[in-house]
Amino acid sequence: DFEARFCDDQQRYQGKSVDNDTPRSRILNCGYAFTLAGSASDDSFFTNERNGAHAIFRHVYSDMAMVALFQKAALLAASQRLTELVERRNAGREIHLPSPAEVRSFYDHFIEFTQNFWFDEISPQEQGRELFVQWHEHLGTKPLYAEVRQELLDLVQYTELQTTGSLNRLVAMFGLASIVLSATAVV
């Protein structure tokens, strides 16, 4: 399944029929490496600096690759930061949890990333959409996004439980104090 997973033939976007006389061009993409290959006899495409392969590669494909790689790097950094927020102490016997303010700050940053920099589609053109999906698949970006998001939601939920438990204890203490004061006032 090499061709299906890593190759994209360009003829369907260039409006040419594919036969033995037609120069072929192919994109090879494995996520971290990207190559545009073709026939040297196709001088209208491969040697045209203004709107041929060089221009398309520099102005379209390299930008798409940068966005895909940026998303992956940002998610890896977020995963690392989550790991650092929750740390084990005393030879692994005790877990140190972040403060609700630290969790909230991280949550705000993740929401900002999601709203400003996370998107599934980067181009209105079919080829651009397919290539971006291919980059996401090879880099494992979508599963990493889902993993970081779930870990963050778990941490937020746990922090809320801790906060709710503290509030419940505080309310119970005030309730007990009010009962004692009421009993003292009656006596």
Side-chain angles (χ1 to χ4, degrees):
D1 64 341
F2 175 81
E3 288 191 359
R5 291 187 61 219
F6 300 104
C7 300
D8 190 28
D9 291 325
Q10 300 295 290
Q11 272 61 40
R12 58 191 170 127
Y13 305 109
Q14 296 173 0
K16 298 178 182 177
S17 62
V18 177
D19 60 0
N20 291 339
D21 298 326
T22 303
R24 300 182 56 101
S25 62
R26 174 175 271 189
I27 289 176
L28 300 157
N29 182 3
C30 69
Y32 291 101
F34 180 84
T35 303
L36 181 60
S39 171
S41 65
D42 189 0
D43 57 358
S44 65
F45 183 65
F46 281 98
T47 59
N48 183 343
E49 288 286 330
R50 284 190 63 205
N51 55 8
H54 293 101
I56 293 170
F57 189 85
R58 277 192 316 268
H59 299 294
V60 178
Y61 299 145
S62 63
D63 292 347
M64 288 171 56
M66 291 300 289
V67 169
L69 291 169
F70 163 76
Q71 289 178 334
K72 174 76 175 207
L75 289 169
L76 288 172
S79 179
Q80 178 65 31
R81 186 164 172 223
L82 269 175
T83 300
E84 291 168 356
L85 280 175
V86 179
E87 62 181 341
R88 290 195 172 269
R89 294 182 178 168
N90 299 331
R93 292 186 300 269
E94 181 182 318
I95 296 177
H96 171 69
L97 292 171
S99 69
E102 290 175 305
V103 173
R104 183 68 193 179
S105 174
F106 185 86
Y107 190 79
D108 290 345
H109 283 94
F110 191 76
I111 292 296
E112 180 182 10
F113 168 77
T114 298
Q115 295 302 312
N116 294 324
F117 303 112
W118 182 256
F119 29 84
D120 297 321
E121 197 172 281
I122 195 168
S123 172
Q125 297 174 336
E126 181 182 355
Q127 179 185 16
R129 287 191 304 267
E130 290 174 1
L131 282 173
F132 199 65
V133 165
Q134 192 178 54
W135 259 305
H136 272 211
E137 288 172 1
H138 293 312
L139 294 173
T141 312
K142 287 185 179 185
L144 180 60
Y145 176 83
E147 178 184 327
V148 170
R149 183 175 181 272
Q150 186 59 51
E151 287 175 6
L152 177 58
L153 291 176
D154 291 345
L155 185 58
V156 166
Q157 185 179 23
Y158 185 78
T159 305
E160 287 175 354
L161 283 173
Q162 293 292 83
T163 305
T164 303
S166 297
L167 288 174
N168 287 344
R169 285 190 293 277
L170 187 61
V171 168
M173 286 185 349
F174 279 122
L176 183 60
S178 66
I179 291 171
V180 169
L181 287 175
S182 298
T184 304
V186 169
V187 172

